[in-house]
Amino acid sequence: MGVCGIVGYVGHRPALDVVLGGLRRMEYRGYDSAGVAVLDGAGRLTVERKAGQLANLEAELDAVGRDGFAGTAGMGHTRWATHGAPVDRNSHPHRDATERVAVVHNGIIENFAALRAELEAAGVELSSDTDTETAAHLIARAYAEGDTAGDLPASVRAVCRRLEGAFTLVVTHADRPDLIVAARRSSPLVVGVGAGETFVASDVAAFIEHTREAVELGQDQLVVITRDGYTVTDFAGEPAQGRPFTVDWDLSAAEKGGHEYFMLKEIEEQPDALANTLRGHFDGSGIVLDEQRLADQDLRDVDKVFVVACGSAYHSGLVAKYAIEHWTRLPVEVELASEFRYRDPVLDRDTLVVAVSQSGETADTLEAVRHAREQKARVLAVCNTNGAQIPRESDAVLYTHAGPEIGVASTKAFLAQIAANYLVGLALAQARGTKYPDEVAREFAELEAMPAAVRKVLSTTEQVRDLGRRIADSKAVLFLGRHVGFPVALEGALKLKELAYMHAEGFAAGELKHGPIALIEDGLPVVVVMPSPKGRGVLHAKLVSNISEIQARGARTIVIAEEGDDRVRPFADELVEIPAVPTLLQPLVSTVPLQVLAAEIARTRGYDVDKPRNLAKSVTVE
Ligand code: F6R
């Protein structure tokens, strides 16, 4: 998946125009700073970078004058902050000390702390807080000395072999205005092949107005582009092949990765969003948070946890409650942020308040954070937006690396929030000693297997889409679940309300007989999220009998169940199978068909799923 926008160019046109045009085409992704580098034939490498929108960068270029940017090779970057706040000095491109090498990067270099320490020990002064800058210095050193001296592609390959994590790197050297080197691991990179000009980008949208001939690079591959073409190798320098293809999307589809809506693209990106959220948060011996301004003792002293959030983020907290209580034996309360401070919650310095927010700007959640801090509680933010207000006002932060979410309805951010909340639970369990290190490692490994499980669900969504089309004219849909399936039912109902404007309610299945069962009438679709027959045997049996009761009253039962769950089959008018995963992790797979269902119903009803009526992506009023 792509987080930052990257474009590189070698050709016959003024590179600055091509690069800025490419960055503009990728603006839809969202970003918090931008930068460009241009090489001219006289060995000058000129860089400009600026926090904020592209317009800020362009104003700066106008102020300094564009004369220094006369070359026909260059690159640009729009950044979505991961390491380091979104400020000028953390913006890309990054350069080495001699300012001969410039690098732009997308992804996360996991071993950057070790690399940074190595550089500092060698006397290199780093000027930013980023992981990227380490790559610039390492490449400059490889180019200056040893077997790779004077060979830019070989220098980049040597450094790539040392990097851990996910990255797309694009590298220029003032000595080589005739070429640009780019490399990728677990992060996208495509080459655009034009006549007398060649592009590299994180996204075809960056060059689609110039050429539709593209080459997708494979894992651990490096490409050298010149105005006459490109050459691909692996990181060892052996010749390799990319995958050529012709882009047949128009620009607006290209921005959406060929999907009709951003939300559909974001649903597809969920395996990557999960993998990126987990990446770098386990260091072999335990869970690591991103910004930790709390002493270990503070975590050990925690005697109560509140999760405060709104909407889908609130549902992610409801899911996490089951895991955090189980792992830490601490009481966990999950509260709507808008209600929290108005009821005088009991908070003190041993209370940990976990504030979950994709945007980090939600006013209700921010006010809850402020209230908690006034009461001396410790606040840990789980947030998808680096440098946003909520993480700034918190004592510790764990970032979800879901990437910018453009569809108003939360999908990939929601899954990433669940994963991040689980990491918070494991961090607490480890600090408090309620889990042994090997147990924490095992739980983390189970989480790491989830992107593959989600990918599997995504490969079988046609059945759910077909079902969505068939029930699109229903008046209402009910959702039922138990245990961690209960918040999933709430999330399924919320998605349907906001996208399809359909009346939808989620219930704890056990609550049905206390009232809601009166709603059941002939043909009413009822979606049931089944627990695993193995993990929660008693609950499974109870849910089967709940389903038989509603089926007997005429409901049309749509059952989300683990593969091979034969006991529920007779009661399912529609059976949607999901892979078997550990009990506490099931929401990461069972939510996905509900997202797809809501989107398909909305599309069938003719609604814009990216921009549901009356809703805004970031709600900055209480
Ligand atoms: C639902 C949705 C909203 C948000 C809520 C919180 O699809 O998107 O319910 O989850 O407004 O937003 P953040 O996470 O930005 O605080």
Side-chain angles (χ1 to χ4, degrees):
M1 78 163 209
V3 179
C4 302
I6 287 184
V7 56
Y9 175 76
V10 187
H12 50 80
R13 289 183 243 220
L16 184 63
D17 296 345
V18 176
V19 165
L20 287 173
L23 294 181
R24 243 174 263 127
R25 296 294 186 203
M26 292 187 290
E27 275 197 291
Y28 71 89
R29 296 154 164 265
Y31 60 97
D32 51 42
S33 52
V36 288
V38 172
L39 288 156
D40 69 13
R44 265 193 308 261
L45 171 67
T46 317
V47 169
E48 196 55 65
R49 49 202 192 145
K50 212 68 204 144
Q53 298 296 296
L54 262 177
N56 290 4
L57 174 67
E58 300 215 39
E60 185 67 21
L61 287 168
D62 290 336
V64 299
R66 299 192 179 204
D67 300 347
F69 294 89
T72 59
M75 62 188 189
H77 186 266
T78 45
R79 172 171 190 252
W80 176 263
T82 53
H83 288 88
V87 293
D88 290 354
R89 75 191 161 79
N90 287 335
S91 309
H92 300 214
H94 287 282
R95 280 167 293 181
D96 72 309
T98 65
E99 302 201 337
R100 303 289 289 163
V101 171
V103 173
V104 298
H105 164 227
N106 174 28
I108 300 167
I109 300 171
E110 280 173 34
N111 57 334
F112 101 103
L115 297 173
R116 197 180 169 99
E118 175 187 316
L119 286 165
E120 280 168 348
V124 176
E125 272 183 40
L126 290 109
S127 58
S128 75
D129 312 318
T130 64
D131 48 349
T132 308
E133 192 191 342
T134 56
H137 292 287
L138 291 170
I139 292 166
R141 291 211 309 177
Y143 186 83
E145 61 200 39
D147 346 327
T148 52
D151 184 339
L152 187 61
S155 304
V156 177
R157 276 193 289 266
V159 172
C160 285
R161 291 195 296 268
R162 299 196 57 202
L163 301 181
E164 290 166 19
F167 52 84
T168 301
L169 283 176
V170 180
V171 185
T172 55
H173 195 296
D175 289 358
R176 298 303 306 264
D178 57 323
L179 59 80
I180 283 180
V181 181
R184 75 165 287 247
R185 168 181 294 160
S186 305
S187 177
L189 179 61
V190 272
V191 178
V193 187
E197 56 184 356
T198 313
F199 306 79
V200 279
S202 45
D203 183 325
V204 293
F207 55 71
I208 196 171
E209 62 186 306
H210 305 295
T211 178
R212 290 176 170 268
E213 296 313 312
V215 182
E216 182 182 58
L217 289 205
Q219 183 71 335
D220 284 10
Q221 288 186 347
L222 174 139
V223 66
V224 178
I225 62 163
T226 65
R227 55 189 293 171
D228 301 321
Y230 68 97
T231 330
V232 182
T233 63
D234 63 18
F235 287 172
E238 295 300 322
Q241 297 291 320
R243 185 185 68 82
F245 65 105
T246 304
V247 184
D248 52 9
W249 309 321
D250 63 14
L251 186 64
S252 94
E255 291 178 343
K256 294 167 190 140
H259 293 280
E260 187 185 351
Y261 288 106
F262 284 111
M263 182 188 161
L264 304 179
K265 168 170 165 279
E266 287 159 4
I267 288 175
E268 295 287 326
E269 285 172 347
Q270 293 186 109
D272 292 327
L274 277 178
N276 287 340
T277 297
L278 298 173
R279 201 184 303 285
H281 283 125
F282 184 76
D283 67 0
S285 59
I287 301 294
V288 190
L289 302 177
D290 290 311
E291 290 171 24
Q292 171 69 288
R293 297 178 284 263
L294 278 178
D296 281 354
Q297 190 59 44
D298 293 331
L299 282 183
R300 273 194 288 279
D301 288 345
V302 169
D303 62 9
K304 178 169 55 179
V305 179
F306 278 100
V307 181
V308 293
C310 308
S312 295
Y314 166 71
H315 295 155
S316 82
L318 290 176
V319 170
K321 173 183 165 88
Y322 294 85
I324 302 178
E325 288 189 335
H326 181 63
W327 291 335
T328 65
R329 311 311 301 146
L330 286 170
V332 179
E333 283 191 50
V334 188
E335 180 124 6
L336 290 167
S338 54
E339 289 294 317
F340 182 67
R341 73 192 168 119
Y342 297 104
R343 68 164 182 88
D344 198 12
V346 183
L347 303 166
D348 60 32
R349 51 187 319 109
D350 295 333
T351 311
L352 180 71
V353 172
V354 181
V356 185
S357 173
Q358 186 285 127
S359 60
E361 301 288 349
T362 300
D364 288 316
T365 313
L366 180 59
E367 289 306 326
V369 165
R370 288 179 175 157
H371 180 75
R373 296 206 60 184
E374 276 160 22
Q375 307 292 310
K376 305 279 179 274
R378 317 286 180 175
V379 177
L380 188 155
V382 169
C383 183
N384 197 41
T385 314
N386 200 301
Q389 198 62 26
I390 291 170
R392 281 212 299 272
E393 295 196 20
S394 299
D395 297 299
V397 187
L398 202 145
Y399 284 109
T400 47
H401 291 293
E405 194 175 61
I406 294 169
V408 163
S410 185
T411 52
K412 62 176 182 173
F414 173 69
L415 255 58
Q417 281 164 347
I418 296 177
N421 293 345
Y422 279 14
L423 294 179
V424 172
L426 291 175
L428 272 175
Q430 131 197 323
R432 295 168 48 76
T434 51
K435 275 208 172 289
Y436 293 118
D438 62 330
E439 292 174 309
V440 173
R442 219 164 27 241
E443 298 290 355
F444 189 81
E446 287 185 346
L447 276 167
E448 279 190 308
M450 295 311 290
V454 174
R455 206 164 282 126
K456 191 164 175 204
V457 180
L458 289 170
S459 67
T460 59
T461 52
E462 185 42 46
Q463 178 203 358
V464 178
R465 288 206 297 273
D466 174 58
L467 170 66
R469 291 188 286 270
R470 284 186 280 121
I471 63 170
D473 58 1
S474 304
K475 271 204 333 262
V477 178
L478 302 186
F479 293 78
L480 304 178
R482 292 188 88 124
H483 194 255
V484 287
F486 168 41
V488 172
L490 296 177
E491 175 65 8
L494 178 61
K495 287 279 102 66
L496 197 55
K497 282 176 211 167
E498 60 184 340
L499 296 172
Y501 320 147
M502 199 187 262
H503 182 228
E505 293 294 332
F507 296 108
E511 202 41 30
L512 205 59
K513 54 188 174 300
H514 301 290
I517 197 163
L519 290 169
I520 306 288
E521 57 185 29
D522 222 23
L524 177 78
V526 182
V527 178
V528 188
V529 182
M530 288 299 294
S532 163
K534 299 188 280 293
R536 278 269 171 273
V538 186
L539 282 186
H540 184 273
K542 292 201 165 137
L543 215 60
V544 169
S545 66
N546 293 148
I547 303 176
S548 72
E549 286 158 22
I550 57 172
Q551 201 184 36
R553 286 165 178 77
R556 175 174 186 176
T557 58
I558 299 163
V559 178
I560 316 287
E562 196 173 293
E563 288 159 342
D565 183 347
D566 292 328
R567 280 180 41 218
V568 79
R569 196 175 287 274
F571 306 101
D573 295 325
E574 307 275 349
L575 183 67
V576 177
E577 292 189 308
I578 52 173
V581 299
T583 298
L584 287 168
L585 302 187
Q586 200 206 45
L588 295 171
V589 288
S590 56
T591 303
V592 179
L594 307 189
Q595 297 166 336
V596 173
L597 183 72
E600 191 63 27
I601 294 177
R603 287 182 61 231
T604 309
R605 290 165 76 119
Y607 303 139
D608 178 341
V609 301
D610 281 341
K611 295 194 189 74
R613 69 185 181 202
N614 307 340
L615 294 175
K617 183 70 186 160
S618 173
V619 187
T620 52
V621 288
E622 269 188 80

